[in-house]
mmCIF file of all heavy atoms in Angstrom:
data_model
loop_
_atom_site.group_PDB
_atom_site.id
_atom_site.type_symbol
_atom_site.label_atom_id
_atom_site.label_comp_id
_atom_site.label_asym_id
_atom_site.label_seq_id
_atom_site.Cartn_x
_atom_site.Cartn_y
_atom_site.Cartn_z
ATOM 1 N N SER A 248 9.541 66.488 -58.851
ATOM 2 C CA SER A 248 8.526 65.527 -59.589
ATOM 3 C C SER A 248 8.158 64.518 -58.459
ATOM 4 O O SER A 248 9.137 63.991 -57.734
ATOM 5 C CB SER A 248 9.085 64.850 -60.806
ATOM 6 O OG SER A 248 9.307 65.740 -61.758
ATOM 7 N N ALA A 249 6.898 64.016 -58.491
ATOM 8 C CA ALA A 249 6.543 62.992 -57.661
ATOM 9 C C ALA A 249 6.683 61.687 -58.351
ATOM 10 O O ALA A 249 6.110 61.283 -59.385
ATOM 11 C CB ALA A 249 5.074 63.104 -57.216
ATOM 12 N N GLN A 250 7.699 60.788 -57.861
ATOM 13 C CA GLN A 250 8.000 59.553 -58.434
ATOM 14 C C GLN A 250 8.493 58.579 -57.503
ATOM 15 O O GLN A 250 8.932 59.002 -56.449
ATOM 16 C CB GLN A 250 8.949 59.666 -59.520
ATOM 17 C CG GLN A 250 10.334 60.179 -59.098
ATOM 18 C CD GLN A 250 11.298 60.398 -60.206
ATOM 19 O OE1 GLN A 250 10.958 60.304 -61.273
ATOM 20 N NE2 GLN A 250 12.591 60.665 -59.965
ATOM 21 N N TYR A 251 8.326 57.271 -57.714
ATOM 22 C CA TYR A 251 9.075 56.399 -56.831
ATOM 23 C C TYR A 251 10.049 55.521 -57.581
ATOM 24 O O TYR A 251 9.959 55.022 -58.584
ATOM 25 C CB TYR A 251 7.927 55.206 -56.384
ATOM 26 C CG TYR A 251 8.370 54.197 -55.378
ATOM 27 C CD1 TYR A 251 8.265 54.432 -54.038
ATOM 28 C CD2 TYR A 251 8.992 53.033 -55.826
ATOM 29 C CE1 TYR A 251 8.739 53.472 -53.114
ATOM 30 C CE2 TYR A 251 9.478 52.027 -54.974
ATOM 31 C CZ TYR A 251 9.233 52.312 -53.757
ATOM 32 O OH TYR A 251 9.786 51.342 -52.725
ATOM 33 N N ILE A 252 11.270 55.747 -56.889
ATOM 34 C CA ILE A 252 12.509 54.999 -57.517
ATOM 35 C C ILE A 252 12.718 53.691 -56.873
ATOM 36 O O ILE A 252 12.782 53.496 -55.640
ATOM 37 C CB ILE A 252 13.714 55.909 -57.358
ATOM 38 C CG1 ILE A 252 13.495 57.181 -58.175
ATOM 39 C CG2 ILE A 252 14.947 55.168 -57.895
ATOM 40 C CD1 ILE A 252 14.480 58.160 -57.954
ATOM 41 N N PHE A 253 12.654 52.583 -57.653
ATOM 42 C CA PHE A 253 12.842 51.246 -57.169
ATOM 43 C C PHE A 253 14.122 50.955 -56.727
ATOM 44 O O PHE A 253 15.172 51.738 -56.926
ATOM 45 C CB PHE A 253 12.168 50.235 -58.225
ATOM 46 C CG PHE A 253 10.728 50.213 -58.334
ATOM 47 C CD1 PHE A 253 10.094 51.057 -59.235
ATOM 48 C CD2 PHE A 253 9.970 49.313 -57.528
ATOM 49 C CE1 PHE A 253 8.643 50.958 -59.246
ATOM 50 C CE2 PHE A 253 8.644 49.234 -57.518
ATOM 51 C CZ PHE A 253 7.932 50.118 -58.430
ATOM 52 N N GLY A 254 14.153 49.736 -56.061
ATOM 53 C CA GLY A 254 15.576 49.369 -55.388
ATOM 54 C C GLY A 254 16.376 48.713 -56.430
ATOM 55 O O GLY A 254 15.980 48.499 -57.543
ATOM 56 N N THR A 255 17.502 48.263 -56.028
ATOM 57 C CA THR A 255 18.563 47.791 -56.872
ATOM 58 C C THR A 255 18.488 46.184 -56.624
ATOM 59 O O THR A 255 19.403 45.581 -57.265
ATOM 60 C CB THR A 255 20.061 48.337 -56.581
ATOM 61 O OG1 THR A 255 20.107 48.193 -55.251
ATOM 62 C CG2 THR A 255 20.069 49.798 -57.082
ATOM 63 N N GLN A 256 17.659 45.627 -55.814
ATOM 64 C CA GLN A 256 17.671 44.251 -55.742
ATOM 65 C C GLN A 256 16.435 43.545 -56.615
ATOM 66 O O GLN A 256 15.319 44.255 -56.832
ATOM 67 C CB GLN A 256 17.336 43.837 -54.254
ATOM 68 C CG GLN A 256 18.422 44.262 -53.415
ATOM 69 C CD GLN A 256 18.704 43.600 -52.248
ATOM 70 O OE1 GLN A 256 17.875 43.135 -51.464
ATOM 71 N NE2 GLN A 256 20.017 43.237 -51.979
ATOM 72 N N GLU A 257 16.545 42.316 -57.035
ATOM 73 C CA GLU A 257 15.492 41.704 -57.772
ATOM 74 C C GLU A 257 14.175 41.737 -57.104
ATOM 75 O O GLU A 257 13.108 41.884 -57.698
ATOM 76 C CB GLU A 257 15.905 40.222 -58.004
ATOM 77 C CG GLU A 257 17.107 39.940 -58.802
ATOM 78 C CD GLU A 257 17.027 40.399 -60.289
ATOM 79 O OE1 GLU A 257 15.930 40.423 -60.867
ATOM 80 O OE2 GLU A 257 18.049 40.792 -60.902
ATOM 81 N N THR A 258 14.138 41.693 -55.895
ATOM 82 C CA THR A 258 12.873 41.636 -55.132
ATOM 83 C C THR A 258 12.361 43.076 -54.764
ATOM 84 O O THR A 258 11.377 43.240 -54.251
ATOM 85 C CB THR A 258 13.033 40.886 -53.773
ATOM 86 O OG1 THR A 258 14.189 41.456 -53.059
ATOM 87 C CG2 THR A 258 13.174 39.424 -53.994
ATOM 88 N N SER A 259 13.059 44.038 -55.176
ATOM 89 C CA SER A 259 12.540 45.470 -55.073
ATOM 90 C C SER A 259 12.671 46.237 -56.361
ATOM 91 O O SER A 259 12.821 47.435 -56.352
ATOM 92 C CB SER A 259 13.253 46.207 -53.987
ATOM 93 O OG SER A 259 14.751 46.194 -54.239
ATOM 94 N N ALA A 260 12.715 45.434 -57.413
ATOM 95 C CA ALA A 260 12.925 45.907 -58.692
ATOM 96 C C ALA A 260 11.836 46.646 -59.347
ATOM 97 O O ALA A 260 10.538 46.396 -59.004
ATOM 98 C CB ALA A 260 13.519 44.824 -59.688
#
Side-chain angles (χ1 to χ4, degrees):
Chain A
S248 292
Q250 62 181 12
Y251 182 91
I252 297 172
F253 282 88
T255 50
Q256 301 208 314
E257 296 291 334
T258 49
S259 60

